[in-house]
């Protein structure tokens, strides 16, 4: 073999052995095989050779070209494989035959309380209904004996859409639809209407430890023949005792005004946070306003297609958010909307 070719080949071998990266190899490719590379440069000496020598020299140069290309590619593949092996070593290994660790998250305290209430009401024969969050003025106010310009609207300012619909301020907004849905079964088959409908409500409220602009209620109605305040008190007491698992729970009724009931009441329970001593959560009264309620106003029944001379009923609007605070000892309502997974996950027993 021509000495110049042999020297170049040895130089290449040494450079390849020393190369550590694909970038270096790219450099070698240019250095040896590029247009101005050392292999091409060998051809410049061809002129001095005889025809016979030119042939064998040309062949050897071509062989060196092939050799260089092959060795550079080989080394590139080896470097890439070593790189992959290094990356794989760095990956945390895991055993796919081990049982999975599933962090499933948890139910929000309001959801827990809502489900508990639903279960209790179901056991008392109530239907659980769902209802939309965006409603009409008729559903939220007019059908509930709150005509336009009624002062009761002032307490329930909310978010209005351009088309006149609004984010519901109270779950009572579903009452009219519920009456219309079940009135035929009531009138024709004598089946009393018994339904609860939980939902999210929105009000333009100044926020403090016990008020939020977004909160949950659970509305309930019972309509039939001879439904009285006694039925109302019994249902409320039974439900609250079950929810708090406290059968000595104290409740009190005070008169309250709501345009859609007559008479109307405020049902309070003894504060479960301070035990009735007085604390910020109960505004230092020892009592917590939990469940306004009353006998459904004749106008409201009539608007739902039910004759108030034949049927009577009660309605209530349970504050689910407030109930969750009481049950789980959450002192500030804002914590419930905080999005803190650590705080909100501690009440779920079975994740
Ligand atoms: N909807 C009322 C509110 O959010 C609460 C309420 C009061 C509901 C009396 C009722 C009721 O069903 O009878 O302020």
């Amino acid at each position: 073999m021509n000495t110049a070719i042999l020297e170049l080949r040895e130089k290449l071998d040494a450079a390849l052995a020393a190369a550590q990266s694909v970038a270096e190899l790219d450099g070698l490719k240019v250095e040896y095989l590029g247009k101005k590379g050392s292999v091409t440069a060998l051809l410049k000496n061809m002129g001095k050779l005889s025809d016979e020598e030119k042939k064998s020299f040309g062949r050897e140069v071509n062989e060196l070209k092939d050799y260089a290309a092959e060795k550079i590619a080989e080394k590139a593949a080896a470097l890439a494989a070593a790189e992959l092996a290094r990356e794989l070593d760095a990956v945390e290994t895991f055993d796919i035959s081990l049982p999975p660790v599933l962090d499933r998250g948890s139910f929000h305290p309001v959801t827990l309380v809502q489900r508990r209430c639903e279960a209790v009401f179901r056991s008392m024969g109530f239907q659980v209904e769902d209802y939309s969050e965006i409603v009409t003025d008729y559903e939220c106010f007019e059908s509930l004996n709150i005509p336009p310009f009624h002062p009761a609207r002032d307490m329930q300012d909310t978010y209005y859409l351009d088309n006149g619909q609004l984010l519901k301020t109270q779950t009572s907004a579903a009452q009219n639809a519920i009456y219309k849905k079940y009135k035929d079964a009531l009138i024709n088959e004598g089946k009393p209407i018994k339904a609860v409908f939980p939902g999210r409500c929105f009000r333009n409220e100044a926020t403090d430890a016990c008020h939020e602009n977004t909160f949950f209620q659970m509305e309930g109605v019972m309509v039939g023949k001879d439904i009285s305040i006694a039925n109302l008190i019994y249902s409320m007491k039974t439900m609250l005792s079950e929810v708090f698992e406290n059968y000595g729970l104290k409740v009190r009724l005070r008169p309250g005004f709501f345009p859609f009931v007559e008479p109307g009441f405020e049902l309070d329970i003894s504060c479960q946070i301070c035990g009735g001593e007085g604390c910020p959560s109960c505004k230092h009264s020892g009592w917590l306003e939990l469940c306004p309620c009353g006998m459904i106003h004749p106008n409201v029944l009539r608007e739902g297609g039910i004759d108030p001379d034949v049927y009577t009923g009660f309605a209530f609007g349970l504050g689910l958010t407030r109930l969750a605070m009481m049950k789980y000892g959450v002192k500030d309502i804002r914590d419930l909307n905080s999005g803190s997974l650590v705080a909100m996950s501690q009440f779920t027993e079975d994740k």
Side-chain angles (χ1 to χ4, degrees):
M1 193 185 283
N2 178 288
T3 26
I5 292 179
L6 192 61
E7 271 172 20
L8 196 56
R9 184 176 151 146
E10 280 167 1
K11 208 176 134 204
L12 171 68
D13 284 342
L16 279 173
Q20 304 279 357
S21 67
V22 175
E24 276 178 70
L25 290 176
D26 287 342
L28 286 181
K29 220 182 205 172
V30 177
E31 188 182 332
Y32 284 81
L33 300 172
K35 265 192 196 153
K36 295 180 183 163
S38 13
V39 177
T40 321
L42 285 171
L43 300 174
K44 284 184 193 144
N45 302 323
M46 291 257 280
K48 296 174 202 152
L49 303 176
S50 67
D51 282 355
E52 201 49 38
E53 282 169 331
K54 271 185 191 160
K55 262 192 198 160
S56 68
F57 186 79
R59 184 171 35 80
E60 284 179 12
V61 169
N62 276 336
E63 277 168 8
L64 178 62
K65 254 190 198 167
D66 293 347
Y67 177 83
E70 188 186 323
K71 289 292 165 187
I72 291 173
E74 250 175 39
K75 179 77 184 198
L79 282 179
E83 175 73 10
L84 182 65
R86 256 197 316 278
E87 279 175 14
L88 286 175
D89 275 352
V91 172
E92 208 180 314
T93 53
F94 60 93
D95 181 348
I96 56 163
S97 66
L98 285 176
V101 181
L102 292 180
D103 206 354
R104 287 177 187 275
S106 58
F107 290 116
H108 191 277
V110 172
T111 306
L112 291 173
V113 164
Q114 179 181 323
R115 291 189 174 191
R116 178 93 187 114
C117 293
E118 286 176 9
V120 175
F121 278 114
R122 268 205 194 93
S123 76
M124 296 197 287
F126 282 74
Q127 301 274 341
V128 179
E129 293 279 340
D130 199 10
Y131 209 68
S132 54
E133 290 179 350
I134 297 174
V135 296
T136 59
D137 188 274
Y138 174 79
E139 290 166 294
C140 203
F141 299 120
E142 283 189 51
S143 68
L144 292 166
N145 203 29
I146 310 174
F149 312 113
H150 191 290
R153 289 185 180 223
D154 292 350
M155 292 183 296
Q156 298 196 10
D157 184 22
T158 185
Y159 307 92
Y160 284 81
L161 308 187
D162 286 344
N163 66 6
Q165 289 185 311
L166 49 116
L167 295 189
K168 74 171 178 239
T169 60
Q170 47 184 354
T171 42
S172 312
Q175 278 196 26
N176 188 261
I178 299 289
Y179 300 141
K180 286 176 176 158
K181 178 172 174 183
Y182 291 110
K183 72 174 168 41
D184 289 343
L186 171 72
I187 296 163
N188 303 331
E189 299 161 41
K191 271 194 191 159
I193 301 175
K194 292 163 83 178
V196 288
F197 23 111
R200 182 158 38 185
C201 303
F202 308 86
R203 280 188 209 173
N204 183 7
E205 289 252 14
T207 304
D208 62 23
C210 41
H211 294 90
E212 255 284 34
N213 54 26
T214 304
F215 54 94
F216 289 82
Q217 293 185 333
M218 181 182 271
E219 190 89 0
V221 294
M222 186 190 278
V223 182
K225 282 193 171 147
D226 304 323
I227 302 290
S228 70
I229 296 173
N231 298 111
L232 165 63
I233 296 174
Y234 173 81
S235 303
M236 292 294 99
K237 246 187 149 168
T238 308
M239 191 277 298
L240 292 170
S241 307
E242 289 290 338
V243 168
F244 285 101
E245 292 163 277
N246 174 357
Y247 301 93
L249 185 93
K250 282 201 260 171
V251 299
R252 71 174 188 187
L253 275 184
R254 292 177 289 124
F257 172 73
F258 303 95
F260 34 90
V261 282
E262 181 57 39
F265 309 104
E266 290 285 1
L267 188 141
D268 302 340
I269 65 163
S270 49
C271 180
Q272 302 289 296
I273 288 178
C274 63
E277 297 281 299
C279 69
S281 299
C282 60
K283 293 186 197 144
H284 305 280
S285 70
W287 291 94
L288 209 91
E289 230 176 85
L290 195 65
C291 187
C293 50
M295 299 306 292
I296 302 164
H297 196 286
N299 288 352
V300 175
L301 286 177
R302 209 174 285 120
E303 202 62 42
I306 296 167
D307 183 353
D309 292 329
V310 182
Y311 301 99
T312 52
F314 68 77
F316 59 89
L318 188 61
L320 273 186
T321 301
R322 206 157 274 185
L323 195 58
M325 290 171 73
M326 289 287 101
K327 185 165 165 68
Y328 296 112
V330 178
K331 294 196 180 68
D332 193 319
I333 192 170
R334 291 164 289 198
D335 290 337
L336 293 169
N337 287 350
S338 68
S340 163
L341 295 182
V342 175
M344 294 297 104
S345 67
Q346 57 187 313
F347 308 108
T348 299
E349 288 134 28
D350 177 25
K351 278 197 192 176

